[in-house]
Amino acid sequence: MWIPDLSNSVGPRYKAIIDAVDGAIASKSLQPGDRLPTQRQLAEKLGVSVQTVARAYAEAERKGLLSGEVGRGTFVQYFRPERRARYVADSEEPNIRDFSNIVPVLSETHIEELREAMVASAKDGAIQRMLEYRPSQGIVQHREAGAAWLERNGVQGSADGLIVTNGAAHAIWTAMASITEPGDVVATEALVDTSITINASILKIRLRGLAIDQSGIIPESFEEACGQESIKVLCVTPCYSVPTVSFMEEARRERIAEIARRHDVAIIEDDVFGPLIPNRPKPMLCFAPERTYYATSFTKCVMPALRTGFLAGPIPAIPRLISRARATGCSANTWTADVAARWLQDGTIDRLVEWQRHKLKTRYEILNHILGAFRCEAEPYAMHAWLTLPEHWRSTHFVDHARSLGLLVSPPDPFIIGRAVEPHAVRLALGDTNRNDQNFKEGLERIAALLQEHPDPMGTSY
């Protein structure tokens, strides 16, 4: 009978039991199909309550480690779940405050709007469109609605120059796969969203990090890079880049576009956050339409489940883009595209975007009030902030301390290109991973208190 040794464990007993199960599976002390002691047996052996063991077994089952079968017992699962990063929430405990995942603030309004859209689609015959294969470019009604949406965001174009995608990340992948060949160099911000580094690894292309400031990529850094090597593509997020929240003013966008034109560099513009910004600058597409591939979606400005995006590109490149989009799943999800088109036509998208702006601005004000004494880069309508740590904190040490206190923040290392120096900063997500403003405020207060502490020196294992 397997009995864990909890003598060196700290914290709640139920958590120690879960960790022991996890460790035993990892070390193969427990094998798939092994039967665990009954709750009463384990409680007696460990000297804890049956309720404690029951809670541990239930949480371990929720994580996919164990499987309980009525009348037979509790068994080790045959398929071990993928380990998640230490800074991503893997618990639904009420004391956890998750600042690691960039998602919109959500409400009952979103649920009700989605429910009504689903019912309407079933009633008016749209459900028939969802059951059939559709063109890889997207059906014309959806592309026309998307073209109208992009026009309201400063992008002029037609439905013929548009591809419906499964979000902005899919659009960016499609563009990168269409433009680059293995070994090509793609320039981007020195700190960049992890999706770009993943794309580069799969496509076997090289990333060149460019120097940035609060306004994004520094033009001189881009010019210098183009003079040193052949840059095939510039991948850029002018509005609220991840993780630094840099925001590129219109004059710099125009200058960057001019440098790209002179050196014959294609541009992939990630504008997933752009629709959230009132009176925003013109997209870079406006300054170099002949070489710019523009990507946006509704996953950030409306809701994560609405994974419909749009990719606009030069008309001669559309056939190649369609072929790459087809290779990743034939066509985009018709169901979410139909909901998006419906909401674009009846004004729901505009109402939800305005609602999101209001909530994000409120959280921005809360953030400034609590973390105003620290160096924290943020913008009124951004979904994340970039917190520079005090000198006595290193980023990895801070992330680990925060997690031990139930505070989940994103370290800088996933965003670093190559072997660049790791900044002593963390990213804070401001969206709905914290369910209400009070929880959000309380979590930030706990982060502020931790920032003022002086950690013990990190030990070394010999």
Side-chain angles (χ1 to χ4, degrees):
M1 180 189 298
W2 176 80
I3 303 295
D5 179 8
L6 305 185
S7 58
N8 295 322
S9 301
V10 295
R13 296 286 87 181
Y14 86 94
K15 282 188 175 180
I17 295 171
I18 296 170
D19 290 342
V21 171
D22 196 7
I25 296 174
S27 67
K28 301 190 184 307
S29 298
L30 284 176
Q31 299 288 336
D34 283 354
R35 182 175 179 174
L36 268 64
T38 66
Q39 295 175 11
R40 185 168 301 279
Q41 286 173 332
L42 190 58
E44 291 176 354
K45 291 289 186 180
L46 297 177
V48 300
S49 69
V50 174
Q51 289 79 6
T52 296
V53 177
R55 183 178 182 185
Y57 277 15
E59 179 70 7
E61 185 173 348
R62 188 186 70 79
K63 290 184 175 183
L65 300 172
L66 304 178
S67 174
E69 300 180 24
V70 177
R72 294 192 64 232
T74 302
F75 298 84
V76 176
Q77 282 273 49
Y78 275 86
F79 296 100
R80 178 170 170 78
E82 180 182 352
R83 299 285 299 185
R84 302 180 71 181
R86 67 187 184 277
Y87 50 88
V88 176
D90 58 3
S91 173
E92 295 180 355
E93 295 179 64
N95 199 41
I96 293 290
R97 295 293 177 265
D98 185 1
F99 293 90
S100 67
N101 192 19
I102 299 180
V103 293
V105 185
L106 301 176
S107 69
E108 291 298 322
T109 298
H110 294 78
I111 296 173
E112 186 58 33
E113 291 286 3
L114 186 58
R115 181 183 294 113
E116 292 180 2
M118 293 169 67
V119 171
S121 294
K123 287 182 177 180
D124 67 7
I127 195 170
Q128 182 65 34
R129 293 197 295 267
M130 304 175 194
L131 300 176
E132 302 172 356
Y133 279 117
R134 291 293 171 177
S136 297
Q137 188 174 1
I139 66 174
V140 66
Q141 297 98 314
H142 298 164
R143 288 188 282 114
E144 288 176 345
W149 166 246
L150 264 58
E151 185 174 353
R152 298 210 299 274
N153 284 277
V155 176
Q156 301 294 324
S158 66
D160 291 337
L162 203 63
I163 295 173
V164 182
T165 65
N166 289 319
H170 181 211
I172 293 168
W173 161 267
T174 301
M176 291 183 82
S178 300
I179 304 170
T180 65
E181 300 290 342
D184 283 344
V185 179
V186 173
T188 188
E189 293 94 343
L191 294 170
V192 70
D193 186 78
T194 54
S195 64
I196 302 302
T197 55
I198 292 171
N199 287 353
S201 176
I202 295 172
L203 294 171
K204 308 300 181 186
I205 57 180
R206 294 184 292 131
L207 292 181
R208 170 71 179 267
L210 303 177
I212 55 176
D213 57 21
Q214 292 183 357
S215 296
I217 292 172
I218 298 173
E220 290 77 10
S221 177
F222 182 31
E223 184 83 66
E224 181 182 4
C226 289
Q228 293 175 344
E229 58 186 327
S230 176
I231 305 292
K232 186 68 170 293
V233 181
L234 172 68
C235 193
V236 60
T237 306
C239 295
Y240 303 160
S241 73
V242 176
T244 61
V245 208
S246 64
F247 181 77
M248 192 178 291
E249 300 297 337
E250 193 166 299
R252 183 174 291 195
R253 298 177 188 219
E254 186 172 11
R255 187 175 175 192
I256 292 288
E258 188 273 329
I259 294 172
R261 181 177 288 112
R262 281 194 289 104
H263 292 277
D264 194 24
V265 177
I267 299 172
I268 298 176
E269 180 177 9
D270 180 358
D271 199 35
V272 69
F273 299 115
L276 288 166
I277 305 169
N279 304 313
R280 49 164 296 172
K282 293 179 182 178
M284 293 191 67
L285 177 68
C286 298
F287 302 108
E290 81 287 352
R291 66 186 58 253
T292 301
Y293 299 76
Y294 174 92
T296 191
S297 78
F298 300 110
T299 54
K300 303 302 184 187
C301 63
V302 180
M303 65 173 67
L306 197 62
R307 297 203 66 80
T308 289
F310 301 107
L311 173 61
I315 293 295
I318 294 299
R320 187 174 176 85
L321 292 171
I322 292 173
S323 71
R324 296 303 184 270
R326 183 183 297 116
T328 58
C330 186
S331 63
N333 188 305
T334 307
W335 177 81
T336 55
D338 208 80
V339 171
R342 185 181 302 275
W343 282 356
L344 285 170
Q345 292 164 358
D346 67 14
T348 300
I349 289 287
D350 297 297
R351 293 193 299 273
L352 293 178
V353 168
E354 188 57 40
W355 186 94
Q356 192 68 218
R357 288 171 178 168
H358 172 74
K359 292 300 296 184
L360 289 173
K361 190 172 183 181
T362 297
R363 294 201 170 182
Y364 167 80
E365 292 167 352
I366 295 172
L367 178 81
N368 277 343
H369 176 71
I370 296 174
L371 298 181
F374 303 95
R375 182 182 167 190
C376 190
E377 304 297 335
E379 291 285 345
Y381 305 101
M383 289 184 178
H384 60 287
W386 186 237
L387 173 64
T388 299
L389 301 173
E391 289 186 5
H392 54 268
W393 279 110
R394 294 181 67 86
S395 57
T396 52
H397 207 184
F398 183 83
V399 170
D400 289 341
H401 271 65
R403 183 171 179 83
S404 71
L405 299 173
L407 300 166
L408 307 181
V409 300
S410 297
D413 51 285
F415 310 108
I416 299 172
I417 295 176
R419 297 183 178 180
V421 177
E422 178 178 311
H424 296 301
V426 295
R427 190 193 69 184
L428 303 177
L430 312 184
D432 198 45
T433 42
N434 294 281
R435 292 294 172 185
N436 57 53
D437 290 346
Q438 183 57 40
N439 285 346
F440 175 74
K441 178 175 179 291
E442 186 267 339
L444 288 180
E445 289 171 344
R446 288 163 58 185
I447 289 175
L450 180 59
L451 288 167
Q452 297 179 66
E453 293 183 11
H454 285 257
D456 294 330
M458 298 181 69
T460 303
S461 298
Y462 294 94

